[in-house]
Structure formats: structure tokens, C-alpha cells
Amino acid sequence: MSGTSTKTLNILANALARSVNKQKRDKKTRAGVLALAAPVPPDWWNGDTNFAGLVPREDQEKDMTILIAKWDNSALDNEIDTLLFQWRPLNSGNWQPAQNAISLPGPLDPSQFPMPLTLNKSNFATEGTFELRYQVTIDVGTTTDSDTATFIIDKTPPNNNQSPTAPTFPDPIVVSDGITQEYLTTNGGVLIEIPIYQDQRLGDSLQIYVHNAGTSPTNPIYEGEMDGNRQIKIPSAAFAGLRDGLIYVSYRLVDKVGNLGGGSNNATAGLFIEPLPDVLAAPTVPIIKGDNVLNLDDVLLGTSSLVEIEPYKNALEGDTVVLTWGTATHKVRHVVSDVLDKIVLNVGYENTLAPAYGAATGVLPTTVSYVVERGNKTFPSDTATIDVDFFVPGPENPDRPDPINVNLPRVKVRGTGANPEDDVLNEDDAGLPVEVTVDLYAPIGPDEEMILYWAAVENDVGTFSPVQGTPGDPYTFTVPWDRIKDLPSGIAVPVFYTVGRADGTGNVESCVPTLVDVSAALPIKLSEPEFPDAGVASDGSLILNCTSFIGPDQLVNVRIPPNTLLKGGETLSFEWQCYTDKLGQSPAGTLQEFDKLITADQAANGFEFTVRPFADYIVPVGRNGSVTLKYVSDTTPPMQGEVLIRAAAQDAAGVCTPNPRVGLRSGGCGC
């Protein structure tokens, strides 16, 4: 037993002596033979009989040293006593050897006693009450049992290892007003009371923790037993370093053995050491436009920064700002992380704005306010009143505030040429009115209007105001050709309408656009041709005049700017037409036509060329006419660029004479 300290052996020997003397006094016999003294386990509690045999938690993981007293009728010379150390769970019928039997030749040496024996820790891996004894078999073959000793292995924490109920605050002032510096100074701390828990036993103690909300408890601020009233005072120092606001108080039960139970539920209280929030100005909604009404366009700009709150006096990190918008039951919460920063709140449309507006059909004054929560106290702000208008005529929009309403009927576009098609404008539709038909939406309210748009919201091409008729009946917008002829072309030009109030106020929504192929009737626009040598007429307009024609052949320089719609490899077909009037309405001379195959560089950077002869390209315009230059690509669909420029083939003396300037620009003759 070299691993057992002298101090431990002395303690065990004293315990053994007390046990042997007691047994002798009691004169206990078994079948007329004096019983052997019981084995003696360690005395862990200094003789306190309330805890006799109870093994401390840390010793449950160690081998146990047991002492055996020398028995009176021990072996003589040439005799051998055999010692067998045994153990068993209480009330079990079977004793089990704790170690191998020990042969002890006589006479026994008194210095070997009390004899230390080892009970391996594996024998009490589970909890319960256990018995110990030993047997001595003497040389004549008789076996005598010792009295028994018991020990207890308890591995179950108090309250049956369940989290206990939260502590309470006996003083109602703590619950109602919170913990202030004045309260701590006056009372020296804060009392808590521990509720009754299951299987409470003598020797139970507890650990108490105090911490802020959002943090985890670390070291206990108190360890010990509670008084007869089940109360403990948390000292004032325990609150030092905690952040003002909500604090949590919890505890863990510890039994005499040292089994540590789980954390209790938290008791909460407010801690108010610092100055309280003061002067809470009303919130603002800066996203509102110049009409001072919050509408769906404002919401689309972004609800993530809808409401702003200025920093308030005595703010603390950890304060919670709770916004109330109108009658909304879903409140917006924000935890303050920087007391100097403006607070910006995200107020959701679906969960807050729309429910607060409800079924209103016009401007609804809506109150907006907030409170600052610190601990269990709230501090209200001033209230702002915001005018809100989310009403939109027409059917319910499942995607609101998205301005496209899938429940609005879509339009159907048809030309009025010889062979009209749905949502296609053919070449024979060019120059003629276009019919856009739509089934009227439901419900139709008073003073509503429909505005028809072509290609973009900048191009309104028809209005129906006020909307009248029966929902579901067709209504046709007739769009003059001049309203769309200069608008963008392509195979997917969007055509749609909006529904709103006839006075132009409030919100509008549009139908899903119908994509129309207008490429055959309205070629896609290419860059407008330019004339680098154009002069300026007396009215400030550009003009091809006598100073514009270069060299002895009186060439005309033309520049085609870059065209991102072209990639290179296309053939461009050019048409040059002279007119005798400035507006290009009286053709003169012969239409001049030529083609150019362009490169990728020319498409990306533009290119120049010259046209001639002067007699065919300029002379027909006369004294004060004009020229159109048009070019069309061979792509599908075709793309077109065009320009009209004033032109004059004469000056005061007659037909222009050759310009003294000579030389050609790069590009050569295009004709």
C-alpha cells in the first residue's frame, strides 16, 4: 500500500480503533462466537454521522483504502490464516471478492495492522449503497465473517438532475422598479429566494450566477448554503461591471457529495445604475417624396431605411428600440449598438405597412412612435403622424408593392394594314393607325384612368379617362402612326397600360407588358449620319452649302458614327435623295443608291466616305432645298439610320464653284 499516505492510514487506524472498541462494548456474537470487527472505510466527514459512508464526488473516481483490525484468535506458529476481502451491493445475495485471498502465516505481526486493503474503483462505477466485509479461515478450517461496513455512491445531482425553478425576488421593489445604485447602497445587495425542489437533503448548497441578457454565466458570485428562509443575499459587488438593462439571476444546486446540478431557469430584473433615456424625439420617414404622402413608389425605394431615429440623450449600448407603426401588431425591434449613430429601421411592407393601412381607399393618417426598452422599463418617444396612401384602383395585386399587377388584363396589338396579326406590325401596317385592345379590369371605380404606353413609360400614346364600361368588355385604344413612328423598334417592344386616379395623385399599377414585333414596320434605329463639313444657315441649322463641297470635284464628306447594334460583316444599303424644299417634301433628281460592306472596326468606331458627282448629289436641291441620307442593314430584322439636312447648290452668284480646298478625307468615294 505504498500509494496510501501516512496521514490517511492514521485517520483510518483511528476509525478502526473506534469501530473495534464499539463492537467489543456491544458484545456482538454470531452463533456464540465473537464476530470480527467490521472493515473500516475512510471517514470523509470528520465523524459527522449525518454523512457516514457517503463518498465525495472526487473520491468516487479513485480506489478506496479499507483498514482491517487484527483479530484476536489469530494463527500460531506453523499455522496459516487466510483473509478474503468481499463486497456487494446492499441487499444483494451474493458476496463478491474484492481482491484475491491473502495467506497470513502465524504468528501474525501486530505491526502489519491495521492492514490496508484496496477496493478498486471499478467496483462502484454505478451509484448505490454497498456493503463490505472480510472472512478469516483459520488452520483448523473454520471460517468467520466480519461485521459489515457500508458506503454510499451518489452520482445524481439534486432535484433529480432536472433544471430547478427560477429564483424569486422577495422584495417587490426589485420587481417593480429594478435595481438602482441607491437600492444597493441602502440594502447592501439583493435578496433572492430559492423555491422548494425535489429530494432536498441535508448538506445541499448552491452556486449563484448573475449576468447580462445575451451573455452566458461564467464564475459563480456566491457558493454556500441558504438560510432557513431559503434566502441568499447577492452582494452589491456582484453587479459591478454589468451593463444596465435586463439582468439574469440563476443558480445551480450542489449536494454534499459534490454533484453539480444543471442551471436553473433565470429570474430577470432591471439594472439601472446609469442615467435613464431622456428627450426621445419623434421618428422621421425621410423617404417620403415632395407630396408628403408615403405611397408605394416610396416603399419601392427601400423599406430597409424607411424610418430614422436620431440619437437620444443617455443612450446605452444594449438598449432596445421598439417601433410601432399605426395599428400594426408586428413591431420593429432594434438593439442599439452605437449610441452616437442615427438609428435606421427596416419596416417591412407585408408584415407592418400593409396591415396598418388595411382596407383604406385614400390618404390614411398613421401614427408612428417608438419606445426605448432598458431592462423592464420603457421610455416612450414623441409621436409623428404620417400620411399613407397605398390604394391602387383595379384588382388586387398579389405582388404589391411591385407595380406590375398580374391580375390586370394584358393588351393585344394589331395593325390596320391589309394583313393584320396579333402583336405584330407588318410592313403594310406602317403609316396607319394601330389598335390596342384590352378587356376592362374589375372592379372599375369612379374617377379612374388608363394610360397606354409604348416601349417605355416616357412614351404615353393613349388615355382612357375616366374609365367607363363593364368589366370584361373590350376597349380599344387607337394609336396614330405619328405617335410611335419615331419610337424604338425591335422584335420585343413592350406595350402596356397603367391604372390610377384620374387626377394623377396616388399610386399606379401596370399590366404585364405585351411584347410586340414592330421590326418590319419600324426598323431598328442606327446612328444618324453626320456631315463633318456642314455649314450653318442664318437660322442656326446645319446645312450643306458652297463651303461644304471639297476639291475640284466638289465632293461631300459623310461620317457614320459608331453602331453598337452592328458587329461587322454586314452590308449597308444607302439611299441619297434630293429635295427642293427645306422639309424634304418635294423630291428632285434621281434617287442615288449604293452599298458598303463594313468591318468590325468600322462598326465599333464609325467610318467616313465621300459621295459624287456633284451634279447628281447636290445640284438638284437648287437654291434652298434639302437632302435625306438613309442606310439600312441586311440583318434580320433590318436596322435603319436616317438624317434630313438642309442643302443649297447655289450662292448669290449662281451654282457653287469648286472650293479652293483640296484633298480627300479617308474613306474615298462612296458612290
Side-chain angles (χ1 to χ4, degrees):
M1 298 302 297
S2 59
T4 304
S5 68
T6 302
K7 179 179 179 181
T8 300
L9 290 176
N10 289 336
I11 293 173
L12 291 169
N14 291 334
L16 176 63
R18 290 196 300 269
S19 175
V20 171
N21 290 334
K22 182 176 184 302
Q23 291 181 60
K24 287 182 177 180
R25 288 194 303 270
D26 291 343
K27 302 290 186 182
K28 291 184 179 179
T29 61
R30 183 176 295 111
V33 179
L34 188 66
L36 301 179
V40 180
D43 180 3
W44 295 282
W45 310 109
N46 297 319
D48 190 338
T49 57
N50 289 309
F51 308 110
L54 193 60
V55 182
R57 191 69 181 83
E58 62 270 18
D59 288 324
Q60 294 178 16
E61 309 302 325
K62 304 174 184 176
D63 294 341
M64 188 184 300
T65 300
I66 307 297
L67 292 184
I68 303 296
K70 182 177 178 293
W71 47 97
D72 291 337
N73 194 22
S74 58
L76 302 176
D77 285 338
N78 300 316
E79 295 180 352
I80 296 176
D81 287 349
T82 302
L83 174 66
L84 180 62
F85 182 31
Q86 298 176 312
W87 77 283
R88 72 177 181 182
L90 183 65
N91 298 324
S92 170
N94 299 317
W95 285 95
Q96 303 174 42
Q99 60 183 58
N100 294 330
I102 303 173
S103 295
L104 300 170
L108 301 187
D109 183 357
S111 66
Q112 292 181 316
F113 295 89
M115 179 182 290
L117 301 176
T118 299
L119 181 63
N120 192 280
K121 61 184 178 182
S122 63
N123 292 321
F124 41 89
T126 59
E127 66 178 6
T129 300
F130 299 88
E131 291 184 299
L132 300 175
R133 78 173 186 185
Y134 61 95
Q135 294 178 324
V136 176
T137 302
I138 64 176
D139 197 66
V140 296
T142 59
T143 299
T144 305
D145 297 336
S146 76
D147 284 339
T148 59
T150 61
F151 66 91
I152 301 169
I153 300 295
D154 181 2
K155 296 180 181 291
T156 302
N159 202 41
N160 289 331
N161 202 25
Q162 298 178 4
S163 294
T165 305
T168 59
F169 299 101
D171 190 344
I173 293 178
V174 173
V175 177
S176 61
D177 297 342
I179 303 167
T180 64
Q181 184 60 58
E182 180 182 5
Y183 185 91
L184 293 175
T185 301
T186 301
N187 296 279
V190 178
L191 272 179
I192 64 168
E193 188 169 304
I194 306 301
I196 294 174
Y197 57 90
Q198 301 179 55
D199 197 27
Q200 182 174 343
R201 295 182 182 181
L202 184 67
D204 285 354
S205 62
L206 71 166
Q207 300 174 348
I208 297 176
Y209 300 84
V210 180
H211 61 102
N212 280 115
T215 63
S216 299
T218 52
N219 298 321
I221 53 89
Y222 173 88
E223 294 183 90
E225 299 183 8
M226 52 190 155
D227 65 18
N229 296 320
R230 312 180 65 80
Q231 293 182 348
I232 297 152
K233 179 173 282 188
I234 302 174
S236 299
F239 301 94
L242 292 178
R243 186 177 65 244
D244 271 22
L246 196 64
I247 61 168
Y248 290 159
V249 179
S250 62
Y251 63 95
R252 300 179 74 176
L253 296 168
V254 187
D255 62 18
K256 185 68 174 180
V257 169
N259 293 308
L260 180 62
S264 73
N265 295 327
N266 291 308
T268 59
L271 182 65
F272 307 108
I273 305 298
E274 302 293 334
L276 299 177
D278 190 18
V279 188
L280 302 181
T284 60
V285 185
I287 203 171
I288 293 178
K289 297 183 301 188
D291 56 5
N292 294 320
V293 178
L294 182 71
N295 55 36
L296 294 177
D297 283 347
D298 297 322
V299 173
L300 285 171
L301 290 175
T303 56
S304 61
S305 57
L306 188 69
V307 172
E308 293 185 356
I309 296 172
E310 294 296 329
Y312 53 90
K313 186 177 180 181
N314 299 332
L316 287 180
E317 290 188 15
D319 284 353
T320 299
V321 174
V322 183
L323 181 81
T324 299
W325 181 281
T327 59
T329 56
H330 181 92
K331 298 182 178 181
V332 179
R333 303 183 69 88
H334 172 85
V335 178
V336 176
S337 58
D338 190 327
V339 298
L340 300 178
D341 275 356
K342 180 185 297 183
I343 297 170
V344 179
L345 298 181
N346 182 344
V347 185
Y349 176 80
E350 291 292 339
N351 55 19
T352 302
L353 299 179
Y357 187 73
T361 58
V363 174
L364 177 69
T366 302
T367 57
V368 184
S369 63
Y370 63 94
V371 297
V372 172
E373 293 181 350
R374 183 179 297 174
N376 55 357
K377 290 184 182 292
T378 58
F379 306 89
S381 75
D382 291 339
T383 299
T385 299
I386 308 298
D387 285 337
V388 179
D389 184 4
F390 292 155
F391 175 74
V392 187
E396 181 66 25
N397 182 356
D399 301 318
R400 194 166 293 166
D402 190 319
I404 296 179
N405 187 347
V406 295
N407 287 331
L408 282 171
R410 297 176 66 171
V411 302
K412 181 173 64 178
V413 179
R414 286 175 69 88
T416 56
N419 299 293
E421 297 182 55
D422 287 350
D423 306 326
V424 176
L425 294 185
N426 296 309
E427 187 174 357
D428 57 5
D429 295 319
L432 300 175
V434 176
E435 293 182 346
V436 181
T437 303
V438 60
D439 294 337
L440 292 177
Y441 59 86
I444 298 174
D447 301 320
E448 297 175 358
E449 71 177 6
M450 300 169 64
I451 300 178
L452 182 68
Y453 295 91
W454 192 281
V457 291
E458 293 79 18
N459 308 318
D460 56 296
V461 295
T463 301
F464 183 24
S465 181
V467 178
Q468 296 176 336
T470 302
D473 285 353
Y475 175 79
T476 298
F477 294 89
T478 299
V479 182
W481 184 257
D482 285 348
R483 298 289 297 274
I484 65 171
K485 67 181 181 67
D486 294 322
L487 298 181
S489 179
I491 60 174
V493 174
V495 179
F496 57 95
Y497 64 92
T498 59
V499 175
R501 295 189 181 104
D503 62 6
T505 63
N507 306 283
V508 298
E509 289 181 339
S510 76
C511 67
V512 176
T514 294
L515 302 181
V516 183
D517 183 354
V518 299
S519 58
L522 291 171
I524 299 172
K525 298 292 184 180
L526 293 174
S527 299
E528 184 177 292
E530 299 172 353
F531 297 92
D533 299 310
V536 180
S538 58
D539 64 359
S541 62
L542 293 177
I543 188 171
L544 296 176
N545 57 25
C546 292
T547 62
S548 305
F549 313 127
I550 307 302
D553 293 328
Q554 297 177 285
L555 306 177
V556 179
N557 286 317
V558 179
R559 172 169 172 78
I560 302 300
N563 276 292
T564 58
L565 296 174
L566 300 174
K567 304 303 179 184
E570 299 91 350
T571 295
L572 304 181
S573 297
F574 291 83
E575 295 181 356
W576 180 290
Q577 178 65 58
C578 296
Y579 299 89
T580 56
D581 66 296
K582 293 185 289 185
L583 300 180
Q585 296 178 347
S586 300
T590 302
L591 177 67
Q592 305 296 321
E593 298 178 296
F594 54 92
D595 295 335
K596 287 188 70 68
L597 176 65
I598 63 168
T599 65
D601 179 73
Q602 289 172 327
N605 300 308
F607 59 95
E608 293 186 10
F609 59 89
T610 59
V611 295
R612 61 181 179 182
F614 180 71
D616 295 331
Y617 280 82
I618 295 297
V619 171
V621 304
R623 186 173 183 275
N624 194 2
S626 59
V627 168
T628 60
L629 176 59
K630 178 190 299 185
Y631 67 107
V632 180
S633 68
D634 62 352
T635 57
T636 301
M639 297 179 280
Q640 176 180 305
E642 184 176 3
V643 68
L644 170 69
I645 187 171
R646 290 180 62 185
Q650 303 173 18
D651 58 15
V655 176
C656 298
T657 58
N659 195 311
R661 290 185 298 162
V662 296
L664 298 177
R665 292 176 178 268
S666 62
C669 180
C671 54

